[in-house]
Amino acid sequence: MIDLQALLDEREISRGLSRFARILDTKSWDELPEVFAHDLTFDYGTGEEQQGMEALRANMTRFLDRCGNTQHLIGSILVDVDGGRAVSRAYVQARHQGVGDPTGPVFDSNGEYIDRWERRGEGWRIVRRDAVWATNSGDSAVIGLRASNLK
């Protein structure tokens, strides 16, 4: 028997991941709470545990406010729902361009987001994110990093 609520939950979570990609690409930082819980914890692939919305916003802006246009593609999404909790795994491919130079250097990152979600009063929200980066290529200076800073 098909569990209609689980399908609706999976759809809402998948749409949340898509929403997140668009928040990044439009640099709409005030919209991060539409996807993440204020009390979230995360490791964005650095091995450093961080907590809270302000830390997440600072992590996003320190790289993305330094570059020009970006495109974050999220796919191969798997969602497992268990009542009011869920785990999603999704591949991410992110392209970053230099400021004001659409034909200049780019920096690409490829990896996976592993997210724990909770159903809250405002809907499904990520309460834990772990980013696992598989490859980085191109000019890391586009996002303000030297190649030696990449893991």
Side-chain angles (χ1 to χ4, degrees):
M1 175 181 272
I2 295 175
D3 182 347
L4 182 57
Q5 185 59 54
L7 290 174
L8 292 171
D9 292 338
E10 286 180 33
R11 182 176 186 273
E12 186 175 343
I13 289 168
S14 293
R15 288 181 63 86
L17 290 167
S18 296
R19 179 76 187 117
F20 172 67
R22 292 177 183 276
I23 288 168
L24 293 178
D25 294 336
T26 60
K27 299 178 180 164
S28 301
W29 310 126
D30 291 339
E31 297 174 15
L32 285 169
E34 293 179 15
V35 179
F36 293 90
H38 284 279
D39 58 344
L40 83 141
T41 59
F42 63 94
D43 174 356
Y44 243 87
T46 64
E48 178 186 353
E49 289 288 314
Q50 297 185 62
Q51 185 170 1
M53 189 64 65
E54 289 308 311
L56 180 67
R57 183 179 180 140
N59 187 69
M60 300 294 141
T61 60
R62 83 175 178 187
F63 299 116
L64 298 182
D65 281 354
R66 301 182 86 148
C67 66
N69 291 334
T70 63
Q71 186 177 56
H72 290 76
L73 303 174
I74 298 177
S76 300
I77 299 169
L78 297 173
V79 179
D80 292 310
V81 177
D82 184 12
R85 297 182 186 273
V87 174
S88 68
R89 296 180 70 111
Y91 291 147
V92 58
Q93 180 178 2
R95 169 149 288 188
H96 311 83
Q97 287 185 298
V99 174
D101 190 1
T103 61
V106 297
F107 179 69
D108 290 328
S109 297
N110 300 286
E112 183 175 25
Y113 293 144
I114 303 165
D115 297 319
R116 282 188 262 156
W117 299 74
E118 286 183 4
R119 187 189 330 261
R120 302 241 170 138
E122 64 275 15
W124 285 98
R125 295 295 182 269
I126 296 171
V127 296
R128 171 72 194 188
R129 165 161 285 172
D130 289 288
V132 179
W133 300 110
T135 63
N136 294 298
S137 61
D139 185 353
S140 60
V142 166
I143 62 169
L145 286 176
R146 292 188 312 249
S148 61
N149 294 95
L150 297 174
K151 288 190 169 198

